[in-house]
Amino acid sequence: MKKIFTILTLLFVLKSYAQSYYKNLFDSMHYDTDLGYSNSGNQTDFSWAASAHMEALVLMYEKTHDPKYANTLIQCMGNVIDRRDDLRDQLQPPQAGVSNIYDYRGVSGAAWSTDHYNITQGDGKTYAHVVHSANITYPMAKFAAIIKDDSTIQNTSYQSGGRYHNMTFIAIADDLIQKVIETLHYHEGQWFTESGNIGYYKERNDNPPIKYGGAILPFNMQSAMGRVLVQMYRATHNPDYLTQLNQIANFIKANTLLDTNLGANTWEYWKNPIYITDDISHAGLTVSFPYECYKYNIPNIYTNSDILAYAKTLTKNIYQSPLFVNGAVSDNQKNWNVKTDVKNGTAGYDSYIAYRWLALSEYSPEIYQLIADLYAAENYYTKIQIDNLSYFSSLTIALLAAHEKLIVPTNTNHEWGTGSDWRGVANGSFFGTNKDEFAVIRNFDGMISIMKPQGRKFYKFPNSKVYGNLYDWRGIAAGDFFGDSKSEMIALSNHANSADNGIYVLKIENNDIIESGKITGWGADSDWAGVAAGNFISGGKDDFIVARNYNTEVIVYKFNGTTPQPFYSNALNFPANSKIAAIASGNLDSDNKDEIALLVNSPNTAYNGIHVYDIDDNGVMTKIAERTGWGAASEWRGLAIGDIDANGIDEIIAHRNYDGEYNVYKLNGSILDGIGSESFPVVQTQDNVMCFGNFDLSSQNDELVTLRKDGGIVMFSAAKVVKTPPNTNKRSDPCQDEIPNELFSFIKSSSFSKKDFKEIVSVK
């Protein structure tokens, strides 16, 4: 009984380290406790910064239900309300020099007015902009709606000080609703309706100190207030809000066109004779209102087809190729190549802020990786400053956390040329530490390099080896082949000259990559498919396999000292014109040896897909599972095996060019179960090669390195990270999806017998 108790205690400790990657990042930057600009004496700070931080906190609370986000949010909201134009003199305790603010009309009202955006900036004639009021009250209305919808939290008592100290959540919600009503009433005179059930907000028309007095507000500002009305309707079910948000929706719809060629919605910045395009940043706020209507099931306003058309505005109209985006809706005169930092047109970098579009990834999944790809690119995060502890950063990270998928990019390097023609990547411990590095090989110049993550990029060490551009490399693998507790490399060349065609063994010596040996002389028509390393033959050292499409054979090699020797050749019975696209190895079934997976493109759909094999100590391959039946147009390309969920057993991730998806499979007996997929824009992942490795010792998950056709190197972490317990190097975690699946061997159920379902392949 004591043993069981100890194990369950350990499981509890390990489970506590499982968390979202971006939630962890959000908290590590202390956004979970930071009050931001909520207690600022400068009213301009409330317009965008304080409101963005409050929105980030309400997103994190909606996603996690962690009370710490609610506590910080309530403090922020209380501070912001205390500093409303008409409430500043009621601050407790009173603050010297802080008094109510009167706008250009002499009115002190339920808003946060500023002279920052005046024709004459700083002239003291403050004006309360509808969009600012909307941004500030939106998190308040949304938090109130969350509380009203969840009776289990309504009696929770808030005890962290400020305006709402010692009040229950339901009492706070009621007060927030009242405060939002007051702000809506403050802007009531700016609301106009037309026949046909159309409504919109205008600027005030009594000689305000701003441009465009009396003008109908731009669509992003209409949407900003529209989403406040969505949350107020959720919180109160008052039909007046439903009527008003319907009128705003009808106004926006009447000024939105469908590009039938792209299936994408297009629109201008506003309904005004002065033509202005809606840049990415403002357009993201424009689409937030249709998204909220659809997400929260506000009836008869926006349909699924409407939302998909908005998604295609980003994926088809704005996004042109990986890291190359237009600056605005239907405007290809302003664009930015983030990879090279070449920007055309006059748009500022802040026009390219894209985080609000992440919400649409719920309905168009590839949007998540499109935007995350931008966020992770060096030129983007340095030019737009979303990693500098600003409160737009907190909202960006919160949106990335709220819509997290399967994997998220963590490290990138896009300085490599588009002609790199990457041919392989492999993880290994090249310096004998417990942290992996990875080796890459490319065809452009025959370069072989070793890299490791550093900051958000990669550090290259030791010196690269360059073979030249004639070798037609077909893959690289790494393992401890010499038994020296360090990794060596196997590179596979399909050189036109048979004297150079074959297997190259490389190692690190004196900070250089050197050739240790080679097995060449193969026919120029070998058509090598790939190489993989692993523990296939009992004996303590790693072995490797090579596959060639010439006769669809897989050859097993083991080392005699530092010399590789062929051990067994397995011929595979694939139909004519079938091609092995990639091979990978890993421990898929928790025994003490590795399995291999082959990714096969075949005109016969019965063979098109993934084939998994065991290798016995005689080098004989036996098929144990497959996932086939895919269409002949799949064009499988990338394959990797690693532990994505930190449960101690590896998974398979396979990529196909057809749709850009990464599909993840787990071996379950003789079945490959699909356990998840990640969608990318097709061109973003085209011809990717990939590998898993343990590159981040703070996480028990393996990370995924991908080499892209555009030359970039991108590393991904699992969106659900299992943190390594402090002061340990333990890598396996018996918790999968936070549910104990297997404890330790003495209480495991009997493993299946592989012999019961093995399919013997023919042997050459």
Side-chain angles (χ1 to χ4, degrees), residues 476-705:
I476 192 167
D480 181 11
F481 304 123
F482 297 173
D484 57 0
S485 300
K486 295 188 298 183
S487 293
E488 293 78 37
M489 290 163 279
I490 305 293
L492 198 56
S493 168
N494 204 61
H495 202 291
N497 183 347
S498 64
D500 298 305
N501 187 307
I503 301 164
Y504 290 72
V505 183
L506 303 115
K507 65 177 183 178
I508 297 174
E509 190 172 284
N510 298 325
N511 294 333
D512 288 312
I513 298 172
I514 65 168
E515 196 176 290
S516 174
K518 59 185 177 181
I519 305 173
T520 56
W522 300 81
D525 57 354
S526 293
D527 193 10
W528 296 103
V531 55
N535 176 24
F536 307 127
I537 311 298
S538 300
K541 295 195 297 183
D542 283 335
D543 319 291
F544 70 92
I545 60 168
V546 294
R548 61 179 189 159
N549 281 317
Y550 169 69
N551 54 358
T552 57
E553 70 175 343
V554 174
I555 308 170
V556 181
Y557 281 84
K558 65 179 298 184
F559 275 81
N560 182 5
T562 60
T563 304
Q565 294 180 335
F567 193 64
Y568 199 84
S569 179
N570 297 269
L572 308 179
N573 289 330
F574 291 143
N577 299 319
S578 298
K579 293 278 190 179
I580 299 171
I583 66 176
S585 64
N587 192 340
L588 298 170
D589 58 7
S590 76
D591 64 9
N592 59 357
K593 292 174 61 178
D594 291 327
E595 290 71 44
I596 67 167
L598 305 182
L599 195 56
V600 176
N601 286 308
S602 176
N604 186 330
T605 58
Y607 291 85
N608 192 306
I610 305 168
H611 302 255
V612 179
Y613 301 85
D614 194 17
I615 300 177
D616 68 19
D617 280 348
N618 295 313
V620 178
M621 289 170 50
T622 304
K623 185 183 287 189
I624 57 175
E626 63 181 28
R627 184 79 175 219
T628 57
W630 301 87
S634 296
E635 197 183 345
W636 295 104
R637 184 66 178 94
L639 182 69
I641 296 179
D643 189 1
I644 196 171
D645 58 6
N647 72 339
I649 303 173
D650 290 340
E651 290 77 42
I652 297 172
I653 189 165
H655 157 252
R656 57 184 188 167
N657 277 338
Y658 172 73
D659 56 7
E661 282 199 349
Y662 288 2
N663 295 301
V664 182
Y665 303 97
K666 182 182 291 291
L667 183 63
N668 180 14
S670 61
I671 305 297
L672 279 181
D673 286 334
I675 61 170
S677 65
E678 185 66 60
S679 295
F680 291 77
V682 173
V683 292
Q684 188 173 318
T685 61
Q686 189 174 11
D687 292 343
N688 272 4
V689 293
M690 58 182 74
C691 79
F692 276 107
N694 181 223
F695 305 110
D696 179 5
L697 294 183
S698 70
S699 164
Q700 295 189 28
N701 309 69
D702 284 341
E703 290 75 44
L704 179 71
V705 175

Side-chain angles (χ1 to χ4, degrees), residues 6 13 72-73 159 224 261 416 482 492 511 743:
T6 302
V13 172
T72 303
L73 173 63
Q159 299 291 334
N261 291 326
W416 305 93
F482 297 173
L492 198 56
N511 294 333
L743 300 181

Side-chain angles (χ1 to χ4, degrees), residues 71 153-159 166-169 172:
N71 287 335
I153 63 174
Q154 292 175 356
N155 292 323
T156 301
S157 179
Y158 168 74
Q159 299 291 334
N166 206 31
M167 291 175 62
T168 63
F169 275 22
I172 293 170

Side-chain angles (χ1 to χ4, degrees), residues 22-23 59 81 114 158 174 186 336 370 382 433 448 456 479 483 485 492 503 556 564 605 647 675 687 695 714 728-729:
Y22 280 117
K23 178 183 184 296
L59 274 168
I81 291 170
T114 175
Y158 168 74
D174 288 336
Y186 174 87
W336 182 19
L370 183 162
T382 55
T433 67
I448 300 174
R456 295 187 64 172
S485 300
L492 198 56
I503 301 164
V556 181
T605 58
N647 72 339
I675 61 170
D687 292 343
F695 305 110
V714 182
T728 78
N729 289 319

